[in-house]
Amino acid sequence: MDLETLVGAARDASTRAYAPYSDFRVGAAILTENGAIHTGCNVENASYGLAICAERNAAAAMALASPDDREIRLVAVYSPDASPCFPCGACRQVLREFGCKEVIVEEASGLRRYPFEEILPHAFGPEDL
Ligand code: THU
């Protein structure tokens, strides 16, 4: 998988963000271990606290579309409104649920890959139950 393709999918998803309250658009693209790509954008609500991040919407799309392929190899996150745009804490935990191994963000110097353990160390996960 070409990383540019995955980041392109995240970029494309960010154009569909529904963010009338924050004006902060985000797109996420998940690559599964079997090579599928699932995308999501943030979707806000007049009841502000109900906003859902791009990463969690991408994870929900994955869960629905590929019940037999829910291992996340990596996730690319992109926002035209912030560079880099890292997943929030809640999204890190949700990505962790599906074994996410790496996060890719676009920095001024280019694409940068972060091992998941680096952005959510000592995580609580399904194997702890
Ligand atoms: N947001 C995301 O979609 N992903 C992130 O990683 C950070 C924040 C959204 C939530 C909200 O719609 C807007 O960005 C501002 O917080």
Side-chain angles (χ1 to χ4, degrees):
M1 154 63 51
D2 174 10
L3 289 188
E4 271 299 339
T5 303
L6 193 69
V7 175
R11 207 177 280 132
D12 193 46
S14 75
T15 67
R16 275 163 276 155
Y18 176 71
Y21 306 106
S22 70
D23 275 329
F24 190 88
R25 297 157 291 172
V26 186
I30 285 172
L31 175 69
T32 67
E33 290 292 357
N34 289 354
I37 293 179
H38 302 283
T39 57
C41 61
N42 54 330
V43 178
E44 299 185 343
N45 192 280
S47 178
Y48 298 164
L50 298 183
I52 307 179
C53 293
E55 298 90 326
R56 270 176 288 157
N57 277 332
M62 176 193 73
L64 181 66
S66 54
D68 299 325
D69 178 26
R70 288 174 171 166
E71 276 291 303
I72 300 177
R73 171 76 193 80
L74 54 90
V75 61
V77 184
Y78 175 81
S79 171
D81 303 309
S83 170
C85 180
F86 282 98
C88 78
C91 288
R92 291 177 197 206
Q93 182 64 30
V94 170
L95 294 167
R96 173 65 174 72
E97 180 71 19
F98 299 107
C100 187
K101 311 286 184 305
E102 271 184 282
V103 174
I104 300 181
V105 294
E106 195 164 278
E107 302 189 342
S109 53
L111 296 182
R112 177 127 180 232
R113 306 170 71 140
Y114 289 86
F116 201 77
E117 170 68 23
E118 203 173 298
I119 69 159
L120 190 65
H122 312 293
F124 182 78
E127 68 282 1
D128 294 310
L129 294 174

